[in-house]
Amino acid sequence: MANEGKKPFRRPREPKEFDDVVVSINRVSKTVKGGRRMRFAALVVIGDHKGRVGFGMGKAAEVPDAIKKATEAANKNVFRVQLTDNNRTVPSDALGKHGATSVVLKPAAPGTGVIAGGAVRSILELAGVSDVVSKVIGSRTSVNVVYATLDALRSMRTVEEVAKLRGKKISEIR
């Protein structure tokens, strides 16, 4: 054989723009005449560790299909997160709400790390935040926690944006 001792040909993969994390996989069932019909719902968060993050949900009869759909949906929902000058922490305190869930994000001193759990940690790490303190208040349903965290991140404003909204100079605010 001509191919003996050689490695099989593989196409080089394109470098991925975003890293992704599967936050949760839910099994849902629908009762029909013949019994229960199982399906899966996947929640995926993507980010580039440079301030861009997105999320998506996908539902399918098989887990890999649900994850694939969720990843495609996440790519359509990407937005930029406002971070401090050196992309280390969030610029100010923020509160995000969704349903019965509230997420509080607070800036932290250098070296603190990401003090968060579960879905909040994955989102903040994928966004590129390295020092932040967070607290989830109320319901801890992963879908609501993701929505509330993204709401908090969307509500962030830099000092420059606040100054512009108030019609003042940055030196007047500080």
Side-chain angles (χ1 to χ4, degrees):
M1 298 203 32
N3 250 0
E4 278 187 43
K6 293 183 179 178
K7 291 183 180 178
F9 176 75
R10 284 206 179 127
R11 294 179 191 263
R13 288 187 178 168
E14 304 170 5
K16 291 194 330 186
E17 184 180 7
F18 295 108
D19 289 337
D20 57 344
V21 172
V22 178
V23 174
S24 71
I25 296 176
N26 241 357
R27 188 181 76 178
V28 289
S29 64
K30 173 183 176 183
T31 306
V32 292
K33 189 169 144 184
R36 289 191 184 101
R37 183 162 295 156
M38 299 296 177
R39 288 174 54 93
F40 296 92
L43 178 63
V44 173
V45 177
I46 64 169
D48 64 354
H49 302 282
K50 295 175 187 166
R52 292 193 315 166
V53 70
F55 83 103
M57 288 190 69
K59 299 172 190 169
E62 299 294 327
V63 175
D65 296 338
I67 292 172
K68 185 178 176 189
K69 283 184 180 181
T71 305
E72 289 170 2
N75 279 312
K76 295 176 186 175
N77 290 325
V78 174
F79 68 97
R80 180 157 292 284
V81 175
Q82 295 294 337
L83 299 174
T84 55
D85 299 332
N86 51 6
N87 288 347
R88 187 187 55 76
T89 188
V90 292
S92 63
D93 292 7
L95 175 68
K97 291 186 176 184
H98 188 267
T101 302
S102 298
V103 173
V104 179
L105 299 177
K106 293 184 177 189
T112 304
V114 178
I115 299 179
V120 180
R121 174 179 284 274
S122 350
I123 292 169
L124 293 173
E125 286 177 348
L126 288 171
V129 179
S130 58
D131 298 308
V132 70
V133 176
S134 74
K135 175 68 180 161
V136 178
I137 302 166
S139 169
R140 278 153 169 75
T141 306
S142 58
V143 176
N144 286 354
V145 170
V146 168
Y147 274 105
T149 305
L150 294 173
D151 181 45
L153 290 173
R154 280 191 181 108
S155 70
M156 295 279 177
R157 300 285 177 255
T158 62
V159 175
E160 293 81 14
E161 289 173 333
V162 173
K164 189 176 178 183
L165 287 171
R166 294 180 184 175
K168 297 186 176 191
K169 296 177 185 163
I170 296 172
S171 58
E172 295 177 53
I173 291 179
R174 291 186 179 180

Short mmCIF file of all heavy atoms in Angstrom, two decimals, residues 117-155:
data_model
loop_
_atom_site.label_atom_id
_atom_site.label_comp_id
_atom_site.label_asym_id
_atom_site.label_seq_id
_atom_site.Cartn_x
_atom_site.Cartn_y
_atom_site.Cartn_z
N GLY A 117 -19.94 32.02 40.73
CA GLY A 117 -20.16 30.58 40.59
C GLY A 117 -20.99 30.27 39.37
O GLY A 117 -21.73 31.12 38.85
N GLY A 118 -20.85 29.07 38.88
CA GLY A 118 -21.71 28.54 37.82
C GLY A 118 -21.72 29.38 36.57
O GLY A 118 -20.69 29.69 35.98
N ALA A 119 -22.93 29.74 36.16
CA ALA A 119 -23.13 30.44 34.89
C ALA A 119 -22.48 31.82 34.89
O ALA A 119 -21.93 32.25 33.87
CB ALA A 119 -24.62 30.56 34.59
N VAL A 120 -22.51 32.51 36.03
CA VAL A 120 -21.93 33.86 36.10
C VAL A 120 -20.43 33.79 35.83
O VAL A 120 -19.88 34.59 35.08
CB VAL A 120 -22.21 34.51 37.47
CG1 VAL A 120 -21.60 35.90 37.54
CG2 VAL A 120 -23.70 34.57 37.75
N ARG A 121 -19.76 32.80 36.44
CA ARG A 121 -18.32 32.64 36.24
C ARG A 121 -17.99 32.40 34.78
O ARG A 121 -17.08 33.00 34.22
CB ARG A 121 -17.80 31.48 37.09
CG ARG A 121 -16.33 31.16 36.83
CD ARG A 121 -15.85 30.02 37.71
NE ARG A 121 -15.64 30.46 39.07
CZ ARG A 121 -14.50 31.02 39.51
NH1 ARG A 121 -13.49 31.19 38.68
NH2 ARG A 121 -14.38 31.40 40.75
N SER A 122 -18.73 31.49 34.11
CA SER A 122 -18.44 31.20 32.71
C SER A 122 -18.59 32.44 31.84
O SER A 122 -17.75 32.69 30.97
CB SER A 122 -19.32 30.11 32.12
OG SER A 122 -20.07 29.45 33.02
N ILE A 123 -19.63 33.21 32.07
CA ILE A 123 -19.86 34.41 31.26
C ILE A 123 -18.74 35.42 31.47
O ILE A 123 -18.19 35.95 30.50
CB ILE A 123 -21.23 35.06 31.60
CG1 ILE A 123 -22.36 34.14 31.15
CG2 ILE A 123 -21.36 36.42 30.95
CD1 ILE A 123 -23.71 34.55 31.66
N LEU A 124 -18.38 35.68 32.73
CA LEU A 124 -17.36 36.68 33.02
C LEU A 124 -15.99 36.26 32.49
O LEU A 124 -15.24 37.09 31.96
CB LEU A 124 -17.31 36.96 34.52
CG LEU A 124 -18.56 37.63 35.08
CD1 LEU A 124 -18.50 37.71 36.60
CD2 LEU A 124 -18.78 39.01 34.49
N GLU A 125 -15.65 34.99 32.61
CA GLU A 125 -14.37 34.52 32.10
C GLU A 125 -14.31 34.59 30.58
O GLU A 125 -13.30 34.98 30.00
CB GLU A 125 -14.08 33.10 32.58
CG GLU A 125 -13.69 33.06 34.06
CD GLU A 125 -13.47 31.65 34.58
OE1 GLU A 125 -13.83 30.68 33.88
OE2 GLU A 125 -12.94 31.52 35.70
N LEU A 126 -15.41 34.23 29.92
CA LEU A 126 -15.45 34.31 28.45
C LEU A 126 -15.43 35.76 27.97
O LEU A 126 -14.99 36.04 26.86
CB LEU A 126 -16.67 33.58 27.90
CG LEU A 126 -16.59 32.05 27.98
CD1 LEU A 126 -17.93 31.43 27.63
CD2 LEU A 126 -15.50 31.50 27.09
N ALA A 127 -15.93 36.68 28.79
CA ALA A 127 -15.90 38.10 28.43
C ALA A 127 -14.51 38.69 28.62
O ALA A 127 -14.22 39.76 28.10
CB ALA A 127 -16.92 38.88 29.25
N GLY A 128 -13.66 38.01 29.39
CA GLY A 128 -12.30 38.50 29.60
C GLY A 128 -12.12 39.26 30.90
O GLY A 128 -11.08 39.88 31.11
N VAL A 129 -13.09 39.21 31.79
CA VAL A 129 -12.98 39.88 33.08
C VAL A 129 -12.10 39.01 33.98
O VAL A 129 -12.31 37.80 34.08
CB VAL A 129 -14.37 40.07 33.73
CG1 VAL A 129 -14.26 40.74 35.08
CG2 VAL A 129 -15.28 40.87 32.81
N SER A 130 -11.11 39.63 34.64
CA SER A 130 -10.24 38.84 35.50
C SER A 130 -10.41 39.12 36.98
O SER A 130 -10.03 38.30 37.81
CB SER A 130 -8.78 39.05 35.10
OG SER A 130 -8.45 40.41 35.19
N ASP A 131 -10.99 40.28 37.35
CA ASP A 131 -11.21 40.61 38.76
C ASP A 131 -12.60 41.17 38.94
O ASP A 131 -12.90 42.28 38.49
CB ASP A 131 -10.18 41.66 39.22
CG ASP A 131 -8.76 41.15 39.12
OD1 ASP A 131 -8.51 40.06 39.66
OD2 ASP A 131 -7.92 41.83 38.51
N VAL A 132 -13.47 40.43 39.61
CA VAL A 132 -14.84 40.88 39.83
C VAL A 132 -15.46 40.08 40.98
O VAL A 132 -15.05 38.94 41.24
CB VAL A 132 -15.69 40.74 38.54
CG1 VAL A 132 -15.95 39.29 38.21
CG2 VAL A 132 -16.99 41.49 38.63
N VAL A 133 -16.39 40.69 41.67
CA VAL A 133 -17.13 40.01 42.73
C VAL A 133 -18.60 40.00 42.30
O VAL A 133 -19.11 41.01 41.81
CB VAL A 133 -16.99 40.76 44.08
CG1 VAL A 133 -17.84 40.11 45.15
CG2 VAL A 133 -15.53 40.80 44.51
N SER A 134 -19.27 38.85 42.47
CA SER A 134 -20.67 38.77 42.05
C SER A 134 -21.51 38.09 43.11
O SER A 134 -20.99 37.37 43.97
CB SER A 134 -20.79 38.00 40.74
OG SER A 134 -20.59 36.63 40.99
N LYS A 135 -22.81 38.33 43.04
CA LYS A 135 -23.75 37.68 43.95
C LYS A 135 -25.05 37.46 43.20
O LYS A 135 -25.56 38.36 42.54
CB LYS A 135 -23.99 38.58 45.17
CG LYS A 135 -25.03 38.07 46.14
CD LYS A 135 -24.56 36.83 46.84
CE LYS A 135 -25.62 36.32 47.81
NZ LYS A 135 -25.40 34.94 48.17
N VAL A 136 -25.57 36.25 43.29
CA VAL A 136 -26.87 35.93 42.71
C VAL A 136 -27.90 35.97 43.83
O VAL A 136 -27.73 35.32 44.86
CB VAL A 136 -26.87 34.54 42.03
CG1 VAL A 136 -28.24 34.22 41.47
CG2 VAL A 136 -25.83 34.48 40.93
N ILE A 137 -28.95 36.74 43.63
CA ILE A 137 -30.01 36.86 44.63
C ILE A 137 -31.30 36.35 44.02
O ILE A 137 -31.63 36.67 42.88
CB ILE A 137 -30.18 38.35 45.05
CG1 ILE A 137 -28.85 38.87 45.60
CG2 ILE A 137 -31.29 38.50 46.07
CD1 ILE A 137 -28.79 40.36 45.74
N GLY A 138 -32.02 35.54 44.77
CA GLY A 138 -33.29 35.01 44.29
C GLY A 138 -33.11 33.66 43.62
O GLY A 138 -32.28 32.86 44.02
N SER A 139 -33.89 33.43 42.59
CA SER A 139 -33.88 32.14 41.89
C SER A 139 -32.53 31.88 41.25
O SER A 139 -31.90 32.78 40.69
CB SER A 139 -34.96 32.15 40.80
OG SER A 139 -34.83 31.03 39.97
N ARG A 140 -32.07 30.64 41.32
CA ARG A 140 -30.79 30.29 40.74
C ARG A 140 -30.93 29.41 39.50
O ARG A 140 -30.00 28.69 39.12
CB ARG A 140 -29.92 29.59 41.79
CG ARG A 140 -29.23 30.61 42.68
CD ARG A 140 -28.91 30.07 44.03
NE ARG A 140 -28.04 30.93 44.82
CZ ARG A 140 -28.41 32.04 45.41
NH1 ARG A 140 -29.63 32.51 45.23
NH2 ARG A 140 -27.58 32.72 46.15
N THR A 141 -32.05 29.50 38.85
CA THR A 141 -32.26 28.78 37.60
C THR A 141 -31.24 29.29 36.58
O THR A 141 -31.12 30.49 36.35
CB THR A 141 -33.68 29.05 37.07
OG1 THR A 141 -34.61 28.73 38.09
CG2 THR A 141 -33.97 28.25 35.83
N SER A 142 -30.50 28.36 35.97
CA SER A 142 -29.37 28.76 35.13
C SER A 142 -29.77 29.68 33.98
O SER A 142 -29.03 30.61 33.64
CB SER A 142 -28.64 27.53 34.60
OG SER A 142 -29.51 26.72 33.88
N VAL A 143 -30.91 29.46 33.38
CA VAL A 143 -31.35 30.32 32.26
C VAL A 143 -31.57 31.75 32.75
O VAL A 143 -31.09 32.71 32.14
CB VAL A 143 -32.64 29.77 31.62
CG1 VAL A 143 -33.14 30.69 30.53
CG2 VAL A 143 -32.40 28.38 31.05
N ASN A 144 -32.24 31.90 33.89
CA ASN A 144 -32.49 33.23 34.44
C ASN A 144 -31.19 33.90 34.90
O ASN A 144 -31.03 35.11 34.76
CB ASN A 144 -33.48 33.17 35.61
CG ASN A 144 -34.90 32.94 35.14
OD1 ASN A 144 -35.18 32.93 33.95
ND2 ASN A 144 -35.80 32.73 36.08
N VAL A 145 -30.26 33.12 35.45
CA VAL A 145 -28.97 33.67 35.89
C VAL A 145 -28.20 34.21 34.69
O VAL A 145 -27.61 35.29 34.75
CB VAL A 145 -28.16 32.61 36.66
CG1 VAL A 145 -26.74 33.10 36.91
CG2 VAL A 145 -28.83 32.27 37.98
N VAL A 146 -28.21 33.49 33.58
CA VAL A 146 -27.52 33.94 32.37
C VAL A 146 -28.14 35.24 31.87
O VAL A 146 -27.44 36.21 31.58
CB VAL A 146 -27.54 32.85 31.26
CG1 VAL A 146 -27.09 33.42 29.93
CG2 VAL A 146 -26.67 31.68 31.67
N TYR A 147 -29.46 35.28 31.75
CA TYR A 147 -30.14 36.49 31.29
C TYR A 147 -29.83 37.67 32.21
O TYR A 147 -29.56 38.79 31.74
CB TYR A 147 -31.65 36.28 31.23
CG TYR A 147 -32.15 35.68 29.94
CD1 TYR A 147 -32.55 34.35 29.88
CD2 TYR A 147 -32.26 36.44 28.78
CE1 TYR A 147 -33.03 33.79 28.72
CE2 TYR A 147 -32.74 35.89 27.60
CZ TYR A 147 -33.12 34.57 27.57
OH TYR A 147 -33.59 34.02 26.41
N ALA A 148 -29.88 37.46 33.53
CA ALA A 148 -29.65 38.54 34.49
C ALA A 148 -28.20 39.03 34.42
O ALA A 148 -27.94 40.24 34.49
CB ALA A 148 -29.99 38.08 35.89
N THR A 149 -27.25 38.11 34.27
CA THR A 149 -25.84 38.50 34.17
C THR A 149 -25.61 39.32 32.91
O THR A 149 -24.92 40.35 32.95
CB THR A 149 -24.94 37.25 34.16
OG1 THR A 149 -25.22 36.47 35.32
CG2 THR A 149 -23.47 37.64 34.14
N LEU A 150 -26.17 38.89 31.80
CA LEU A 150 -26.01 39.64 30.56
C LEU A 150 -26.71 41.00 30.63
O LEU A 150 -26.22 41.98 30.08
CB LEU A 150 -26.52 38.82 29.38
CG LEU A 150 -25.70 37.55 29.10
CD1 LEU A 150 -26.38 36.71 28.03
CD2 LEU A 150 -24.29 37.89 28.69
N ASP A 151 -27.82 41.07 31.36
CA ASP A 151 -28.50 42.35 31.58
C ASP A 151 -27.59 43.30 32.36
O ASP A 151 -27.47 44.48 32.03
CB ASP A 151 -29.82 42.13 32.33
CG ASP A 151 -30.58 43.41 32.57
OD1 ASP A 151 -30.69 44.23 31.63
OD2 ASP A 151 -31.06 43.61 33.71
N ALA A 152 -26.91 42.77 33.39
CA ALA A 152 -25.98 43.58 34.18
C ALA A 152 -24.82 44.06 33.31
O ALA A 152 -24.42 45.22 33.39
CB ALA A 152 -25.46 42.78 35.37
N LEU A 153 -24.28 43.18 32.48
CA LEU A 153 -23.16 43.57 31.63
C LEU A 153 -23.57 44.60 30.58
O LEU A 153 -22.80 45.50 30.24
CB LEU A 153 -22.56 42.33 30.94
CG LEU A 153 -21.80 41.38 31.87
CD1 LEU A 153 -21.41 40.11 31.12
CD2 LEU A 153 -20.58 42.05 32.47
N ARG A 154 -24.79 44.47 30.06
CA ARG A 154 -25.27 45.44 29.06
C ARG A 154 -25.50 46.81 29.68
O ARG A 154 -25.41 47.83 29.00
CB ARG A 154 -26.57 44.95 28.43
CG ARG A 154 -26.36 43.92 27.36
CD ARG A 154 -27.66 43.66 26.58
NE ARG A 154 -27.43 42.65 25.57
CZ ARG A 154 -27.92 41.41 25.64
NH1 ARG A 154 -28.66 41.04 26.65
NH2 ARG A 154 -27.66 40.54 24.69
N SER A 155 -25.83 46.85 30.97
CA SER A 155 -26.13 48.13 31.63
C SER A 155 -24.88 48.89 32.04
O SER A 155 -24.97 50.01 32.51
CB SER A 155 -27.02 47.90 32.85
OG SER A 155 -26.28 47.25 33.87
#
